[in-house]
């Protein structure tokens, strides 16, 4: 009974099910699902909220550790997230508030200006590296650049403490050393991740904008004066 | 070719047709013809006006060999923009070097760009210039006011915005205007092929690169040094622009040619002097005018003499 066009259709054998012979046709046309996957989905839905939040926090924390010791690992790249950069950017912008407040226009960067510089700068650098032929995706680059601001945020916190404790020239020297060290660390950490994805004759073209970006952020931190 | 010149009239006529066909296929092609007994009108005229500098003849051939790279893909695809970033580190460094050391006879566009204009150089040079001008201006203000005991250091971050607006407007709008003007004149007067929009933007961007070290050196608080630096930077930067645009413009009427070149130079000088006066002046301005390249704004600001 198998004609060629019947054979090409799935369940071709059932095409004559409607013939009311004494063939009981019953069955289950569902695909058997391995029970474990279904259990996992349900369990994530049922878990306590604390568990969900902690999972994300642990992922962010793990990435911070990877920035502190930049080895060639792909954790930052594989599971990118933008929580860490957002946290760092908000912290940095908040710490940069409160400087030189006697005249709005002559002072340091406003909160929105810090945000714009960090995010717009990251986006421009990402676009630049993609246009030059990089293989990282857009959000992976944003993730790397954002996480590597961490040393500079730490330096900002240290600078604020130093400004309270030590004043005058000595304080300035200490701040200069701290900011320079963290700027170097940030640039080194981010190029460790970014430069691998570029063709070798264009590495410097990609590293230079990153250098400029962290230099500008370092400048904003160094010139903060309460 | 020259051997056809001595042949009978019908061969002359054929040659004219062939050349005319070639010209109509590519009206921008530069042609070289030997001195002709019966000069072929359009071809001969174009050849007579050709740049007779020795460098150029080999560049004509090479620029014909390297067809101008049309960007691939349509306007909305990513590949379209990727074709503007098709440069290596060494190429960018070479172009920057060529823009700070202009040699007479070396047309920047023909010699360095070679039909591969890029947007990487202009964009990042402008960005670097914005920050170097703003930061150096801040440092120079600090150094000058340091002696004043009542002075409280201010980062003056708003200057970054002003510098960015001024420099990016200059580096992108002036090439648009110049390119439009040159294209219009070229169309009306049938000059040799002008430059594409991208090449004009490229030359302007790279010509600003000399101002980056200049702006850092402007921190030193000697008035005579600052003005000397402006003159030197203007000479270098201006000569890059003149060497590039003079061959295109000089076939026009004398008035238009000189006028165009003078406008290029004057605008460039206005940018340099404007930056120096605004960012590196000694007194803090009471009002903060938005910078344009017109000099009349600066009559409001007081400048303390050294």
């Amino acid at each position: 009974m198998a004609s060629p066009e019947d054979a090409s259709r799935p369940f071709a054998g059932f095409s004559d099910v409607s013939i009311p012979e004494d063939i009981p046709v019953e069955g289950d046309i569902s695909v058997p699902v391995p029970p474990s996957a279904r259990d996992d989905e349900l369990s994530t839905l049922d878990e306590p909220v604390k568990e969900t939040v902690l999972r994300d926090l642990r992922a962010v924390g793990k990435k911070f550790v990877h920035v502190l010791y930049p080895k060639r690992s792909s954790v930052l790249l594989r599971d990118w997230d933008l929580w860490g950069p957002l946290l760092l950017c908000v912290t940095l912008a908040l710490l940069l508030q409160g400087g030189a407040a006697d005249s709005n226009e002559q002072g340091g960067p406003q909160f929105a200006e810090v945000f714009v510089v960090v995010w717009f700068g990251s986006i421009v650098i990402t676009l630049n590296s993609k246009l030059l032929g990089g293989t990282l995706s857009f959000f992976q680059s944003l993730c790397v650049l954002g996480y590597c601001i961490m040393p500079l945020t730490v330096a900002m916190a240290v600078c604020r403490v130093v400004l309270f404790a030590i004043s005058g020239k000595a304080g300035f020297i200490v701040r200069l050393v701290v900011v320079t060290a963290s700027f170097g660390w940030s640039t080194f950490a981010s190029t460790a991740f970014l430069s691998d994805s570029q063709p070798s004759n264009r590495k410097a073209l990609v590293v230079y904008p990153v250098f400029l970006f962290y230099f500008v952020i370092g400048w904003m931190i160094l010139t903060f004066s309460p | 070719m020259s051997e056809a010149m001595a042949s009978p009239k019908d061969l002359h006529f054929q040659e004219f047709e062939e050349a005319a066909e070639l010209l109509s296929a590519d009206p921008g092609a530069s042609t070289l013809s030997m001195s002709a007994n019966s000069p072929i009108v359009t071809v001969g005229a174009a050849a007579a006006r050709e740049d007779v500098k020795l460098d150029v003849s080999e560049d004509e051939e090479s620029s014909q060999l390297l067809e101008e790279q049309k960007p691939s893909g349509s306007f909305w695809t990513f590949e379209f923009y990727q074709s503007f970033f098709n440069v290596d580190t060494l190429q960018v460094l070479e172009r920057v070097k060529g823009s700070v050391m202009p040699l007479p006879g070396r047309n920047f566009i023909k010699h360095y760009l070679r039909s591969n204009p890029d947007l990487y150089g202009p964009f990042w040079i402008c960005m670097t210039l914005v920050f170097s001008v703003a930061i150096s201006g801040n440092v120079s203000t600090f150094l000058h006011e340091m002696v004043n005991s009542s002075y409280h250091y201010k980062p003056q971050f708003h200057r970054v915005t002003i510098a960015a607006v001024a420099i990016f407007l200059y580096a992108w709008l002036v090439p648009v205007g110049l390119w439009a003007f040159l294209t219009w004149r070229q169309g009306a007067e049938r000059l040799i092929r002008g430059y594409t929009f991208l090449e004009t933007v490229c030359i302007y961007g790279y010509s600003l690169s000399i101002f980056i070290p200049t702006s850092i050196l402007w921190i030193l608080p000697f008035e005579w040094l600052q003005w000397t630096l402006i003159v030197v930077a203007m000479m270098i930067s201006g000569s890059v622009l003149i060497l590039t645009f003079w061959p295109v413009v000089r076939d026009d009427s004398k008035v238009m040619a000189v006028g165009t070149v003078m406008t290029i130079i004057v605008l460039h000088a206005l940018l340099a002097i404007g930056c120096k006066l605004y960012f590196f002046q000694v007194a803090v301005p009471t009002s903060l005018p938005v910078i344009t390249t017109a000099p009349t704004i600066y009559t409001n600001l007081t400048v303390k003499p050294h």
Side-chain angles (χ1 to χ4, degrees):
Chain A
M1 277 236 215
S3 55
E5 63 264 25
D6 281 341
S8 63
R9 280 184 273 121
F11 303 112
F14 290 103
S15 61
D16 44 2
V17 161
S18 57
I19 298 176
E21 300 295 336
D22 50 357
I23 308 170
V25 179
E26 300 181 358
D28 198 357
I29 315 185
S30 62
V31 178
V33 174
S36 54
R38 233 192 288 165
D39 278 348
D40 266 357
E41 270 180 57
L42 289 177
S43 67
T44 312
L45 206 51
D46 280 347
E47 70 178 5
V49 174
K50 186 177 78 153
E51 194 58 41
T52 316
V53 171
L54 276 182
R55 189 176 346 115
D56 273 338
L57 280 181
R58 263 185 242 122
V60 170
K62 202 155 59 139
K63 292 201 192 65
F64 278 147
V65 170
H66 274 276
V67 172
L68 281 180
Y69 304 107
K71 307 182 293 255
R72 295 214 172 211
S73 77
S74 57
V75 163
L76 263 186
L77 299 180
R78 248 183 310 125
D79 315 313
W80 60 267
D81 72 84
L82 292 179
W83 284 116
L86 182 67
L87 212 59
L88 287 170
C89 184
V90 169
T91 314
L92 186 64
L94 282 177
L95 285 175
L96 276 169
Q97 289 304 295
D102 50 359
S103 152
N104 272 345
E105 291 170 346
Q106 295 276 345
Q110 305 295 314
F111 186 91
E113 281 172 342
V114 176
F115 243 79
V116 164
V117 165
V118 169
W119 287 100
F120 186 66
S122 302
I123 290 176
V124 164
I125 295 178
T126 307
L127 279 179
N128 179 62
S129 76
K130 282 192 77 65
L131 283 168
L132 282 170
T135 53
L136 282 188
S137 86
F138 183 75
F139 287 108
Q140 279 173 341
S141 294
L142 276 186
C143 173
V144 167
L145 287 168
Y147 270 102
C148 291
I149 295 183
M150 192 186 70
L152 283 166
T153 312
V154 168
M156 180 69 213
V158 169
C159 280
R160 277 207 96 143
V161 168
V162 166
L163 276 171
F164 276 126
I166 320 174
S167 66
K169 284 275 166 46
F172 178 72
I173 305 282
V174 170
R175 283 189 295 142
L176 182 65
V177 167
V178 167
V179 170
T180 312
S182 61
F183 154 70
W185 192 356
S186 285
T187 312
F188 172 68
S190 64
T191 52
F193 294 110
L194 284 180
S195 65
D196 279 344
S197 66
Q198 289 293 327
S200 64
N201 53 350
R202 294 182 182 182
K203 279 204 181 6
L205 293 185
V206 172
V207 168
Y208 171 70
V210 175
F211 170 87
L212 186 65
F213 176 61
Y214 289 127
F215 180 80
V216 168
I217 297 184
W219 172 258
M220 287 198 300
I221 292 176
L222 187 61
T223 59
F224 173 78
S225 61
Chain B
M1 296 300 150
S2 57
E3 61 268 19
M5 296 294 171
S7 52
K9 277 227 170 109
D10 50 344
L11 271 181
H12 267 212
F13 192 65
Q14 266 182 345
E15 187 190 293
F16 178 81
E17 267 191 339
E18 224 179 87
E21 267 169 29
L22 282 175
L23 264 186
S24 60
D26 184 8
S30 51
T31 54
L32 296 170
S33 65
M34 308 307 214
S35 63
N37 308 335
S38 56
I40 301 168
V41 176
T42 47
V43 174
R49 287 192 205 162
E50 275 301 341
D51 200 341
V52 295
K53 291 201 189 116
L54 292 173
D55 269 346
V56 177
S57 57
E58 63 191 7
D59 280 351
E60 304 284 17
E61 285 167 20
S62 62
S63 65
Q64 275 172 357
L65 287 175
L66 300 168
E67 274 302 313
E68 182 171 312
Q69 293 181 2
K70 290 280 180 265
S72 55
S74 78
F75 182 68
W76 307 110
T77 64
F78 194 68
E79 285 72 30
F80 178 79
Y81 297 103
Q82 222 167 5
S83 59
F84 302 142
F85 281 76
N86 199 11
V87 277
D88 296 336
T89 311
L90 288 178
Q91 280 178 316
V92 172
L93 287 177
E94 219 180 292
R95 290 174 187 190
V96 171
K97 205 167 56 133
S99 71
V100 297
M101 293 191 300
L103 298 173
R106 282 220 184 146
N107 184 333
F108 185 84
I109 289 188
K110 290 259 172 2
H111 190 86
Y112 289 103
L113 292 190
R114 288 186 187 269
S115 302
N116 188 18
D118 69 303
L119 281 182
Y120 178 89
F123 182 75
W124 287 108
I125 290 178
C126 289
M127 211 50 141
T128 312
L129 185 62
V130 164
F131 285 113
S132 82
V133 163
I135 292 180
S136 307
N138 191 229
V139 171
S140 94
T141 312
F142 171 71
L143 285 180
H144 193 269
E145 301 280 349
M146 212 166 52
V147 293
N148 199 350
S149 62
S150 65
Y151 175 69
H152 186 68
Y153 172 73
K154 300 180 180 72
Q156 293 173 315
F157 196 75
H158 64 286
R159 285 186 169 184
V160 172
T161 319
I162 296 178
V165 168
I167 290 175
F168 273 94
L169 276 183
Y170 177 81
W172 293 83
L173 283 193
V174 172
V176 168
L178 186 65
W179 169 77
F181 175 74
L182 286 179
T183 311
W184 169 62
R185 293 302 298 178
Q186 180 212 343
E189 304 271 333
R190 298 231 187 165
L191 301 172
I192 65 175
R193 187 171 63 110
Y195 302 127
T196 67
F197 171 62
L198 226 52
E199 285 169 345
T200 322
V201 167
C202 213
I203 177 70
Y204 262 87
Y206 278 106
S207 73
L208 287 176
S209 65
I210 185 66
F211 287 110
I212 297 176
T214 312
S215 65
I216 297 180
L217 287 175
W218 274 339
I219 295 180
L220 302 173
F222 306 115
E223 194 78 17
W224 59 269
L225 179 67
Q226 290 177 346
W227 287 104
T228 315
L229 283 171
I230 285 196
V231 169
V232 169
M234 272 305 304
M235 273 180 8
I236 295 179
S237 187
S239 59
V240 172
L241 288 176
I242 296 180
L243 283 172
T244 310
F245 285 108
W246 181 246
V248 180
V249 153
R250 73 167 168 210
D251 307 316
D252 209 340
S253 69
K254 219 36 178 166
V255 173
M256 294 302 294
V258 173
T260 312
V261 171
M262 287 309 295
T263 314
I264 295 179
I265 305 234
V266 164
L267 284 175
H268 216 65
L270 284 178
L271 179 76
I273 297 181
C275 279
K276 185 222 172 273
L277 284 179
Y278 184 73
F279 291 102
F280 293 89
Q281 69 180 64
V282 212
V284 174
T286 51
S287 67
L288 292 166
V290 173
I291 266 204
T292 61
T293 48
T296 52
I297 295 182
Y298 304 106
T299 55
N300 300 348
L301 306 173
T302 59
V303 178
K304 260 196 263 182
H306 277 273

